[in-house]
Amino acid sequence: MLADNLRGMIYIGLKDLQAYYLKPPNISWGILFPFAFILAFAIRNPGDLRGLIPGLLALTILFGTSSMEAIVIVFERRIGSLERLLLAPISLPALLAGKLLGGIVFGLSVTLVVLVIVLMVFGATGINWMLLVLALLLSATAFSALGAFVSVAVREVFEAQTLANFIRFPMMFLGGIFVPVTTLPLWLQVMARLLPLTYSVEALQAALSGEVFMAGVVDLAVLLGFTLVLFGLAVRVLAQRLG
């Protein structure tokens, strides 16, 4: 059974990558959209551009993982293809994990392109690579789980897009991308601490500034916690929808 689940996860992830993610509009949008936001902020407030890099990477991985993830499941439920997948010898959590896998791989791929560009411009010295890799991986997993939860929580594609944007855009402005969380009013700081993007930005900041690994352990642990909670909720809601 375990082998069937693992094989099913891989094939579902590959199928989603080919069918939904690896399309020119998705690739270009996933790379250019975060750059556009960061550039607009940099033009409005020129200063330390290097300080915007953690936010740029976090924003790229957020939209790269969650944009299609938030609509794939609800779309396949509408056309009946998700139910056909359930006929395979694979459990519901494994099926959903395969869906997450597609978003994770795509999000990490577009973020890698952005990271290479950033390193070519600013250099690669003083980076804690282990912390950086784990921060990117756990961020991609948490944001993909968020997209999956959004996708199973609604019945229509337009509802998924609306709900996803309702969650993502406040995160952009509260998660420390443009303004440090510590400079926000106290009640907004409390709200920011309830958002996974905040911990992604902090972990990436620690990694890119070359801090010791332990500096990002709490952020990594919180991202893992978000992943487990959102994935568990997504499995439960999807089971109720299909039942």
Side-chain angles (χ1 to χ4, degrees), residues 68-214:
M68 288 302 298
E69 189 73 58
I71 64 174
V72 166
I73 297 175
V74 67
F75 173 73
E76 291 192 345
R77 281 172 50 210
R78 290 288 297 168
I79 64 175
S81 62
L82 188 67
E83 285 76 6
R84 289 195 292 271
L85 286 177
L86 291 171
L87 297 176
I90 182 173
S91 66
L92 186 60
L95 185 153
L96 195 59
K99 293 295 183 183
L100 262 65
L101 184 61
I104 292 169
V105 171
F106 180 76
L108 289 174
S109 298
V110 295
T111 306
L112 180 60
V113 173
V114 174
L115 179 62
V116 170
I117 295 173
V118 165
L119 294 181
M120 290 174 61
V121 174
F122 294 99
T125 58
I127 296 176
N128 186 325
W129 289 101
M130 179 180 294
L131 181 56
L132 178 61
V133 169
L134 289 176
L136 291 175
L137 181 59
L138 287 175
S139 296
T141 307
F143 298 150
S144 188
L146 173 63
F149 174 69
V150 168
S151 192
V152 302
V154 298
R155 297 185 182 277
E156 301 291 344
V157 172
F158 75 90
E159 293 176 338
Q161 293 171 330
T162 301
L163 180 57
N165 289 331
F166 180 78
I167 295 172
R168 290 183 304 202
F169 279 95
M171 281 204 297
M172 287 173 51
F173 298 102
L174 295 177
I177 292 178
F178 304 113
V179 179
V181 173
T182 54
T183 64
L184 297 173
L186 181 59
W187 67 278
L188 287 179
Q189 291 187 39
V190 173
M191 289 185 61
R193 290 298 163 190
L194 301 176
L195 305 173
L197 186 64
T198 302
Y199 301 94
S200 176
V201 172
E202 289 184 349
L204 291 169
Q205 286 174 339
L208 293 172
S209 61
E211 295 186 25
V212 297
F213 181 81
M214 294 302 295

